[in-house]
């Protein structure tokens, strides 16, 4: 129980400090602690559900979250994530691991691709947002990550939304997709409820501390630290799944 609290605080801190979803932090940690990949996914989805609900509540209080705009993306994500239990149950850990590593690789590539902030933001296209949410929810939740890692480059790079709009939309998306994913993973028997909720609630404390510290760090140094973290996660997960695991 103590170890789960420590893990939760660390994951929350790193998530708040780096501004990223806890899945890319929590899943590798759990793998190195000896958890099965599918169990790690279940615990990660539980943590993600609690942290995204907390984060969306804070965004709503600050007026940064427009529920009407995010609803089509969120509903699509919820429907897509409802398939995650089936996908995880019938997919090998090697394939799931490859998808996880691909998402981390996308995050690394984004550091070297600069997308200019659009001058004129297009109107919200609910049909496109629903389809994007459906696809991302199905893929991301099945490997224990929130989906913002895919949502952000799609909305900014292809739909030309401003980053501020995208951040609030993607966090609201994670609420729906993670709740739906949690139910789906529960029905498939992949959730360790005690560890999942312990880590999840402890991560909220860490997130608060991480966000506070983030504002005192030089942005250039912060970006370099995040890049190093993603490269480490990619290498460590690859080693654990494909080298040590064989």
């Amino acid at each position: 129980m103590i170890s789960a609290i420590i893990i939760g605080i660390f994951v929350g801190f790193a998530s708040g400090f780096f501004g990223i979803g806890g899945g890319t932090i929590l899943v590798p940690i759990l793998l190195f602690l000896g958890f099965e990949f599918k169990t790690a996914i279940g615990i990660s989805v539980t943590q993600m559900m609690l942290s995204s609900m907390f984060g969306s509540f804070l965004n709503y209080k600050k007026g940064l979250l427009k529920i009407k705009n995010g609803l089509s993306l969120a509903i699509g994500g919820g429907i897509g994530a409802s398939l995650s239990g089936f996908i995880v149950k019938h997919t090998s850990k090697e394939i799931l691991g490859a998808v996880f590593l691909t998402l981390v690789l996308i995050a690394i590539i984004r550091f070297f691709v600069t997308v200019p902030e659009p001058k004129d933001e297009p109107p919200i296209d609910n049909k496109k947002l629903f389809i994007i949410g459906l696809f991302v929810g199905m893929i991301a939740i099945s490997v224990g990550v929130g989906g913002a890692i895919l949502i952000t480059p799609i909305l900014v790079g292809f739909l030309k939304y401003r980053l501020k709009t995208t951040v609030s939309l993607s966090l609201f998306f994670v609420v729906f997709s993670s709740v739906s994913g949690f139910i789906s993973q529960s029905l498939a028997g992949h959730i360790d409820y005690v560890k999942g909720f312990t880590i999840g609630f402890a991560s909220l404390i860490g997130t608060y501390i991480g966000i506070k510290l983030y504002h005192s760090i030089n942005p250039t140094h912060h970006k370099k630290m995040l890049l190093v973290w993603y490269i480490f996660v990619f290498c460590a997960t690859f080693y654990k799944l494909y080298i040590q695991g064989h």
Side-chain angles (χ1 to χ4, degrees), residues 74-89:
I75 291 172
I79 294 172
S82 69
L83 301 172
S84 65
F86 176 84
I87 292 170
V88 172
K89 190 172 184 178

Side-chain angles (χ1 to χ4, degrees), residues 9-151:
I9 292 174
F10 174 77
V11 168
F13 171 80
S15 180
F17 180 71
F18 288 124
I20 59 178
T24 52
I25 304 166
L26 183 54
V27 171
I29 289 174
L30 294 176
L31 289 178
F32 270 87
L33 291 177
F35 286 83
E36 285 291 321
F37 192 67
K38 295 184 179 185
T39 304
I41 290 171
I43 293 173
S44 179
V45 169
T46 307
Q47 183 272 332
M48 187 194 314
M49 175 179 68
L50 296 174
S51 63
S52 63
M53 291 172 71
F54 181 62
S56 283
F57 171 74
L58 294 179
N59 271 352
Y60 180 74
K61 293 287 283 185
K62 292 178 181 177
L64 298 175
L65 177 61
K66 303 293 186 284
I67 291 178
K68 183 181 177 181
N69 290 348
L71 206 53
S72 57
L73 182 73
I75 291 172
I79 294 172
S82 69
L83 301 172
S84 65
F86 176 84
I87 292 170
V88 172
K89 190 172 184 178
H90 294 91
T91 307
S92 70
K93 70 172 186 178
E94 287 78 14
I95 293 175
L96 293 171
V99 174
F100 179 85
L101 289 171
T102 300
L103 296 183
V104 175
L105 191 59
I106 288 171
I108 294 171
I109 292 170
R110 280 178 55 203
F111 279 89
F112 305 99
V113 178
T114 303
V115 179
E117 186 81 350
K119 294 180 181 178
D120 299 309
E121 189 172 59
I124 296 294
D125 188 328
N126 287 311
K127 288 182 181 178
K128 286 182 181 178
L129 288 178
F130 176 82
I131 293 170
I132 291 167
L134 186 72
F135 169 75
V136 175
M138 186 171 59
I139 300 299
I141 298 298
S142 294
V143 292
V145 301
I149 204 169
L150 282 176
I151 290 286

Side-chain angles (χ1 to χ4, degrees), residues 219-237:
T220 304
H221 294 158
H222 182 266
K223 189 173 181 178
K224 288 178 181 178
M225 290 166 68
L226 181 54
L227 177 59
V228 169
W229 171 258
Y230 272 136
I231 292 172
F232 169 75
V233 165
F234 182 90
C235 295
T237 307

